[in-house]
Amino acid sequence: MKKYLKKKITWGLCALFLLLVMFCKKRLPRIPNREYTKACLYMAVLDDEICRNELEGNFVGEKEIVFPPKPDSLQYRYHLFLESYKGYTQEQIAGEMQRFEKRLIDSRKFCKNKN
């Protein structure tokens, strides 16, 4: 009886350990942490510039669109991208960066009062 109980407990702990490993693997980025944070910061900078090019100075109703200071905006976007792209592979993140770069080039058409 004791042997049977030990066996059940051992298999239960193994299953619990495997579930824990799978959960952690899903939550952690699939690329090195340093690369991941650099990519998220780069995308945050690109996204901020795109939004400022396309929207700053425009009006919604009678109110002009004004952005917060760049450091505050970048910090918010950086944390947003850290959370959003958590499960992406290196290739997927590279694709997203290319998409942002293309969009930045397109957004320069909308840029007002910039040299």
Side-chain angles (χ1 to χ4, degrees), residues 80-113:
L80 182 70
F81 286 131
L82 280 177
E83 194 63 33
S84 299
Y85 294 110
K86 207 176 262 187
Y88 280 48
T89 63
Q90 197 163 7
E91 294 81 23
Q92 289 172 320
I93 288 181
E96 288 295 312
M97 286 193 304
Q98 286 177 347
R99 189 175 64 84
F100 275 108
E101 289 167 349
K102 287 177 186 173
R103 187 154 174 236
L104 178 63
I105 292 168
D106 293 340
S107 76
R108 291 197 174 126
K109 291 185 257 182
F110 301 103
C111 189
K112 295 181 179 180
N113 302 326

Side-chain angles (χ1 to χ4, degrees), residues 7 13-14 29 38 45-46 48 53-54 57 60-62 70 74-80 89-90 92 103 108 110:
K7 200 173 191 180
L13 288 175
C14 287
K38 279 183 183 179
V45 170
L46 290 175
D48 187 64
N53 286 345
E54 292 179 357
V60 175
E62 295 180 10
K70 212 166 195 169
L74 286 177
Q75 183 177 12
Y76 171 76
R77 290 173 198 276
Y78 172 67
H79 289 289
L80 182 70
T89 63
Q90 197 163 7
Q92 289 172 320
R103 187 154 174 236
R108 291 197 174 126
F110 301 103

